[in-house]
Amino acid sequence: MSGNEAQANIGVVGLAVMGSNLARNLASRDGNTVAIFNRSYEKTRGVLDAHPEAGFLPAETYREFADTLAKPRTAIIMVKAGAGTDAVIDELVKVFEPGDIIVDGGNALFTDTIRREKAVRETGINFVGAGISGGEEGALNGPSIMPGGSDESWVTLGPILKSIAAVAEGEPCVTHVGHDGAGHFVKMIHNGIEYADMQLIAEAYDLIRRGTGKSPAEIADIFAEWNRGELESYLIEITAEVLRQVDAATGEPLVDVILDQAGAKGTGAWTVQTALDLGIPVSGIAEAVFARSLSSKPAQRAAAATLPGPSAAWTVDDPDAFVEDVRRALYASKIVAYSQGFDEIVAGAAEYGWSIQKGEIAKIWRGGCIIRAQFLNRITEAYADDPSLVALLTAPYFRDALAASQESWRRVVVAAAQAGIPSPAFSSSLAYYDGLRADRLPAALVQGQRDFFGAHTYKRVDRDGTFHTQWSGDRTEIEAQDTH
Ligand SMILES: NC(=O)C1=CN([C@@H]2O[C@H](COP(=O)(O)OP(=O)(O)OC[C@H]3O[C@@H](n4cnc5c(N)ncnc54)[C@H](OP(=O)(O)O)[C@@H]3O)[C@@H](O)[C@H]2O)C=CC1
Ligand SMILES: O=C(CO)[C@H](O)[C@H](O)COP(=O)(O)O
């Protein structure tokens, strides 16, 4: 035994980057004593030695960890999502008791969280899936936290999470998102938007660099300038930092020596897979996920490198005007990404029976998380003005912003296509915008085709009912059963 019996009011399991920093964050708040546990004890020992100021109470076994925690026990799991999370839960339920709370702060798939919440609840122990964003720095100084779980758990957990969360404009960046998997669902959408935002910024950089010949350091200055306007955000800020960085070994800009193959841990793909199931077009997010996949296919890229590109050279006549066009295209595409992300939140809430306050979600993303941005205040305002807003991009503020940007957006997409520069997120966002605002879509023809080959039926614009044309017969139209 450690001799730490029941002194800690909160515990953390998993002491890699996120868990160790979250444990330090918890320990730095008044009144907290933090128990720590990691599967391999060396990590616990390392955290203990590196941070004596935190007053951590270490445990070598799950039993010891449980005994170190005052009842009702509260423990936050920060381990590798998936099998790791299940393994830890299996051990904790053996040593915890009814009324205790297990919080999974990892990037769990929300359907796993729904399953885990149900199974753990049957033991009388509360289970809360909480999305936590902000990376290492956020975990230490204040992340954005998106907890799901029961109302009863929130009563105990709320004050603790509020004490460690980031603060934006005087408000803690945490809210009880909804029951069971709602928190992890919203964190998944956060990450999907993160993917889109990052891809859009990367496309903006690429276009400016190839269009104007500016160096990464010069483009860093442009991003730093953009960060003082409507695009102000953490991702724009860190992009300037990355572009300014010089590689010590070669003296080249670091961005030029980093292999151009983007990794992914899966949350972006989950966002798209879930959107497909819900029937929500998150095309900007999907293109961002696919752009990472394409980048990571070196054999295909090498084989395709000899394929022809545009015959004429691309020149930008007015570099300053082009940079401004790219800035506006980025802002417009970003509005689309958030609008699509919030559409998925609405659809997920309806499907799973969650009551998610969209304005509150935008509020808790204002600080601590990777997509934190000034812009999120406009989203909160839009939902406050019209809680039943059908699409974020139709709110007056965003409508005006899109009106101001759309000509620039079109010029940038045209230029990219003519220059042979891939801009999948810019161009798919514009296509989404034009699709949504179209009076009439060629979906009518698709319905005709479906009816032709599969008798899938169609509706008419001029009268109610469901119809089928007898394509293989005399081609007269008959009333039919709707087959969708
Ligand atoms: N890194 C980031 O920026 C962010 C991460 N997250 C999420 O937070 C969680 C933690 O992330 P991070 O700190 O990067 O750590 P990792 O995702 O790299 O996970 C490492 C931790 O998981 C533990 N672990 C793995 N498998 C098991 C198992 N079967 N049983 C017990 N413990 C296990 C490891 O223990 P051991 O030391 O013994 O191997 C270690 O403590 C993840 O779910 C991640 O998705 C969320 C937001 C941002
Ligand atoms: O959750 C996060 C931030 O909110 C992580 O940073 C995220 O896991 C990064 O995703 P990926 O590795 O797929 O780029």
Side-chain angles (χ1 to χ4, degrees):
M1 283 292 298
S2 63
N4 293 329
E5 289 84 354
Q7 295 171 36
N9 61 317
I10 183 107
V12 176
V13 178
L15 299 174
V17 175
M18 290 298 284
S20 59
N21 282 295
L22 199 73
R24 289 175 61 202
N25 181 349
L26 282 159
S28 72
R29 311 291 166 165
D30 279 351
N32 282 346
T33 303
V34 184
I36 54 172
F37 174 82
N38 193 73
R39 176 178 59 176
S40 44
Y41 189 69
E42 312 84 77
K43 216 166 252 165
T44 311
R45 168 61 56 203
V47 170
L48 206 57
D49 290 348
H51 302 289
E53 78 291 349
F56 289 133
L57 301 183
E60 286 193 57
T61 64
Y62 284 102
R63 177 75 265 164
E64 207 175 286
F65 180 68
D67 289 344
T68 303
L69 285 162
K71 295 177 191 176
R73 303 173 180 90
T74 304
I76 304 180
I77 306 172
M78 290 304 293
V79 302
K80 197 169 176 54
T85 312
D86 281 319
V88 173
I89 293 169
D90 287 350
E91 295 302 325
L92 285 181
V93 294
K94 288 181 200 162
V95 293
F96 274 26
E97 293 167 13
D100 292 348
I101 304 176
I102 298 173
V103 182
D104 173 19
N107 272 338
L109 178 59
F110 74 97
T111 46
D112 283 346
T113 302
I114 293 173
R115 168 180 59 78
R116 288 170 183 146
E117 201 269 345
K118 191 164 178 281
V120 174
R121 185 160 21 95
E122 280 166 14
T123 69
I125 297 168
N126 299 292
F127 183 81
V128 174
I132 298 184
S133 179
E136 182 175 358
E137 188 247 322
L140 180 61
N141 298 318
S144 172
I145 310 177
M146 293 147 256
S150 66
D151 295 339
E152 305 87 87
S153 307
W154 175 244
V155 171
T156 308
L157 211 53
I160 298 173
L161 298 183
K162 282 180 184 168
S163 77
I164 60 164
V167 175
E169 298 176 32
E171 296 176 279
C173 293
V174 56
T175 189
H176 184 210
V177 172
H179 295 160
D180 53 54
H184 275 138
F185 181 86
V186 165
K187 173 66 190 340
M188 177 188 76
I189 304 292
H190 165 286
N191 282 25
I193 294 172
E194 175 183 306
Y195 271 58
D197 218 341
M198 291 168 74
Q199 175 65 22
L200 289 166
I201 292 170
E203 288 177 20
Y205 148 75
D206 198 28
L207 283 159
I208 293 175
R209 188 157 184 196
R210 291 165 72 172
T212 67
K214 289 182 190 294
S215 68
E218 288 170 318
I219 302 172
D221 291 340
I222 292 171
F223 278 97
E225 177 62 33
W226 288 359
N227 202 39
R228 288 190 275 277
E230 60 195 0
L231 278 169
E232 184 272 322
S233 63
Y234 172 72
L235 283 170
I236 292 282
E237 179 191 329
I238 66 161
T239 300
E241 301 277 329
V242 174
L243 290 175
R244 218 184 290 288
Q245 185 72 14
V246 172
D247 174 47
T250 60
E252 296 296 318
L254 179 68
V255 72
D256 286 348
V257 298
I258 296 178
L259 190 67
D260 61 343
Q261 295 176 18
K265 297 214 178 68
T267 50
W270 292 347
T271 310
V272 178
Q273 285 159 351
T274 305
L276 290 170
D277 290 340
L278 293 169
I280 302 300
V282 293
S283 45
I285 298 171
E287 287 298 348
V289 174
F290 289 139
R292 291 196 194 187
S293 311
L294 185 149
S295 76
S296 301
K297 298 280 176 287
Q300 284 189 329
R301 288 177 61 190
T306 53
L307 293 175
S311 44
W314 180 47
T315 52
V316 166
D317 298 331
D318 182 342
D320 289 344
F322 181 68
V323 168
E324 177 57 10
D325 274 352
V326 172
R327 187 190 70 77
R328 287 171 185 247
L330 175 55
Y331 193 50
S333 304
K334 182 178 165 119
I335 292 170
V336 166
Y338 279 75
S339 194
Q340 293 180 342
F342 275 89
D343 283 352
E344 188 169 344
I345 290 178
V346 171
E351 175 72 17
Y352 293 97
W354 300 316
S355 168
I356 298 181
Q357 303 302 312
K358 299 177 287 289
E360 287 300 303
I361 301 304
K363 266 190 181 179
I364 66 166
W365 287 348
R366 287 178 306 176
C369 65
I370 304 299
I371 63 170
R372 61 185 182 260
Q374 192 193 70
F375 166 84
L376 286 152
N377 276 320
R378 309 286 85 77
I379 298 179
T380 302
E381 286 159 12
Y383 285 120
D385 289 348
D386 180 2
S388 58
L389 191 63
V390 292
L392 192 59
L393 47 63
T394 63
Y397 173 85
F398 295 114
R399 182 188 293 270
D400 291 349
L402 290 163
S405 302
Q406 58 119 7
E407 294 295 355
S408 293
W409 201 4
R410 294 181 196 288
R411 280 194 292 273
V412 168
V413 170
V414 167
Q418 283 178 338
I421 297 175
S423 61
F426 274 172
S427 49
S428 76
S429 305
L430 179 58
Y432 172 87
Y433 170 78
D434 282 332
L436 213 54
R437 60 174 205 87
D439 274 350
R440 190 148 170 83
L441 290 167
L445 178 57
V446 172
Q447 284 297 82
Q449 292 164 333
R450 292 178 70 237
D451 190 56
F452 187 99
F453 62 68
H456 293 301
T457 75
Y458 52 86
K459 306 274 187 199
R460 294 181 59 98
V461 295
D462 52 0
R463 56 183 198 272
D464 289 341
T466 303
F467 302 91
H468 166 61
T469 292
Q470 300 179 101
W471 298 102
S472 51
D474 63 2
R475 301 207 166 184
T476 55
E477 184 178 76
I478 57 170
E479 294 233 24
Q481 283 285 100
D482 188 352
T483 61
H484 299 288

